Amino acid sequence: MSAPTLAACLDAGRNGFTGLRLVLAVAVVVSHAFSVATGAAGDEPLARLTGYTLGEHAVNGFFAVSGFLVTMSCDRRGTRDYALARTLRILPGLVAATLVVSLGLGAALTRLPVSEYLREPGLWSFIRGTLTTFKSNAALPGVFEANPYRAPLGTVWTLKYEVLCYLGVLAAALCGLLKRRWSALVIVAGLVLALSILIGLRGSDLPKGTETALRLPLIFAAGASLYLWRDRLRISAAALACLAFGAFVLARTPAYPALLFLAEAYGVVWLALGPLARGLFDPSADLSYGIYLYGWPIQQTLHALWPELSGPALLAPALAVTLPVAALSWFGVERPALSLKARALGRRRLGTIEPAGP
């Protein structure tokens, strides 16, 4: 019997997207355990093996899932509902995290008197920069000064690319391109070609920022393409194995990164919709966004308090603190925002799965 199509798996109702996002978010925290105390992300074993850290692979997975689900959201809802849904899914959690970290955690940890800290221009420029440009390398006055990284919200940089991809989907919908699904394949092919050519020309000299600016949109577009071609593409372990084998064989060529990213995009959708989906943990509370936002500042805080301990040694307490904080974010901020979205759209419950930004 042939493997079911992605469309058939979606229609079956059950999937593992929420559980998968939770695993990806925890993977980001695990990855940061190798760098938060040393400042050297390349020390992570997976970085030496694949060229990318566990956190980068997890972000790749987030963008593939997001490309798939966000495109589905826009296709099923229309542009007005889509724009409101995206705004209320991303913005409330980010605003809350920025204020909690800057005005709460920062005020508690700064070496400055609190009154002086609150008057510091750097505090307010941090809040403004985080909320308007997703700036993730800014420091708070007198906070984490002895840490290898001073940034208290070091993961929000990916939200810039996430929002740009959201806008790309919106533009595609307004131009009618979601009904012309070949356009997504053209975008994927163009990004694959651009990335492979640049790596072929520059090799290891290619700036990380340039590679990231191509990598994340490529993976998002691949996820979008999987959704748009859902009635033709199948959940096939053989197809996933072929992609993975191709990446392994071409590991020392300029084609390796793009092929790896395509394999990861297909792989996460395969995990969420394939045979394993029925056995995946599928929680009703989506803690992934809260874990992603708060994991880094909590790890930074633990390292500042106990600098003699390694990052991996602090991983268990970091997760023990991050999970309940993420639950507070979900139940106190994110879920109420989703309820507001449902009321604004005139329905009690929204059926489309809501991805959180990475």
Side-chain angles (χ1 to χ4, degrees):
M1 186 175 66
S2 62
T5 63
L6 301 182
C9 292
L10 275 175
D11 292 341
R14 182 171 174 79
N15 63 73
F17 281 114
T18 302
L20 181 59
R21 287 200 301 265
L22 177 63
V23 171
L24 293 173
V26 171
V28 170
V29 178
V30 172
S31 178
H32 289 157
F34 289 91
S35 59
V36 70
T38 65
D43 290 344
E44 185 186 308
L46 199 59
R48 295 192 292 270
L49 180 64
T50 67
Y52 299 91
T53 66
L54 175 63
E56 288 174 316
H57 288 296
V59 168
N60 291 350
F62 268 124
F63 269 76
V65 169
S66 186
F68 188 93
L69 295 180
V70 166
T71 304
M72 178 172 70
S73 173
C74 190
D75 181 49
R76 293 184 175 182
R77 287 203 178 110
T79 55
R80 172 184 168 273
D81 287 10
Y82 167 81
L84 181 61
R86 292 296 86 228
T87 301
L88 290 178
R89 186 63 186 101
I90 293 294
L91 192 57
L94 175 63
V95 171
T98 302
L99 296 179
V100 166
V101 168
S102 59
L103 300 180
L105 185 65
L109 293 178
T110 182
R111 60 171 176 76
L112 304 175
V114 174
S115 59
E116 182 180 341
Y117 174 77
L118 294 176
R119 291 194 301 268
E120 276 286 331
L123 166 64
W124 304 104
S125 65
F126 171 86
I127 295 174
R128 184 172 58 252
T130 302
L131 295 180
T132 58
T133 63
F134 308 107
K135 190 174 182 180
S136 63
N137 60 354
L140 287 170
V143 179
F144 301 145
E145 290 181 323
N147 285 15
Y149 298 108
R150 288 200 57 197
L153 278 171
T155 58
V156 299
W157 65 270
T158 62
L159 296 180
K160 172 178 64 178
Y161 293 100
E162 185 85 2
V163 170
L164 289 173
C165 289
Y166 291 169
L167 293 174
V169 172
L170 180 60
L174 291 173
C175 295
L177 294 180
L178 295 187
K179 304 301 180 184
R180 298 179 176 88
R181 56 188 180 181
W182 54 263
S183 60
L185 296 181
V186 171
I187 293 172
V188 170
L191 291 170
V192 166
L193 186 62
L195 181 61
S196 300
I197 289 175
L198 283 176
I199 291 176
L201 293 174
R202 300 287 298 274
S204 59
D205 292 331
L206 181 66
K208 191 68 174 178
T210 301
E211 188 216 44
T212 300
L214 292 171
R215 170 171 65 98
L216 298 183
L218 165 58
I219 297 169
F220 187 97
S225 297
L226 289 171
Y227 170 74
L228 293 174
W229 289 85
R230 62 195 180 280
D231 60 334
R232 297 285 187 88
L233 298 176
R234 298 183 178 276
I235 292 293
S236 169
L240 178 59
C242 288
L243 286 169
F245 181 73
F248 174 77
V249 170
L250 299 176
R252 297 185 181 277
T253 73
Y256 165 71
L259 191 54
L260 174 67
F261 303 152
L262 293 177
E264 289 181 324
Y266 183 80
V268 294
V269 174
W270 182 86
L271 282 172
L273 294 178
L276 296 179
R278 289 185 292 274
L280 284 177
F281 176 55
D282 190 30
S284 57
D286 186 358
L287 305 187
S288 59
Y289 192 30
I291 293 171
Y292 188 80
L293 288 175
Y294 290 100
W296 177 263
I298 288 170
Q299 287 177 296
Q300 284 277 73
T301 300
L302 292 176
H303 178 65
L305 295 175
W306 292 283
E308 70 280 1
L309 296 179
S310 68
L314 291 172
L315 177 58
L319 288 173
V321 176
T322 300
L323 290 173
V325 171
L328 288 174
S329 175
W330 169 256
F331 290 107
V333 179
E334 298 168 55
R335 191 171 72 168
L338 294 178
S339 299
L340 174 64
K341 175 186 63 180
R343 291 196 297 271
L345 297 180
R347 63 196 74 168
R348 288 186 177 182
R349 189 169 180 268
L350 295 175
T352 304
I353 305 162
E354 281 300 332

